[in-house]
Amino acid sequence: MYGALIGGVEREIGWAAVGVGFLVGLVAGKVGGRNPVLPVVSAVLALGAVYLGQLVGIAVLLSKQLNVSATDLFLEEFGLLTEAWSETKDGLTFLFFAIAAFAAFSGAKKASA
């Protein structure tokens, strides 16, 4: 969903990263209960979710330019996508990672309380 949003509007959106992180933390908190490691695991999972979302976003954008399926591009040219991500990352990219991790950590703590 996050990747489709990035591909649709052709930019990253901070509140979407917050939503991804919070949803990961909320689900983890509800499923995992009061485990003290859960907020940290949620933050790590949120980082992975945002990263994959960014790759999906790049796949959607490239699929429009190359006139191929974003799914095929994602599954068959994963190396190309990670290379494109690496070339386009900036400070804002890492800010979105931090926001998502914080939201996941907070969401997991609140959901397990």
Side-chain angles (χ1 to χ4, degrees), residues 25-42:
L26 183 67
V27 170
K30 292 294 183 186
V31 171
R34 296 181 181 261
N35 189 326
V37 177
L38 200 58
V40 174
V41 171
S42 297

Side-chain angles (χ1 to χ4, degrees), residues 30-84:
K30 292 294 183 186
V31 171
R34 296 181 181 261
N35 189 326
V37 177
L38 200 58
V40 174
V41 171
S42 297
V44 171
L45 289 174
L47 292 174
V50 169
Y51 176 67
L52 286 176
Q54 290 174 349
L55 290 179
V56 168
I58 292 169
V60 170
L61 292 172
L62 285 177
S63 72
K64 291 177 185 178
Q65 293 175 355
L66 302 174
N67 201 24
V68 296
S69 164
T71 304
D72 290 342
L73 195 57
F74 188 81
L75 296 175
E76 296 173 10
E77 299 293 339
F78 195 79
L80 175 69
L81 294 177
T82 57
E83 201 174 296

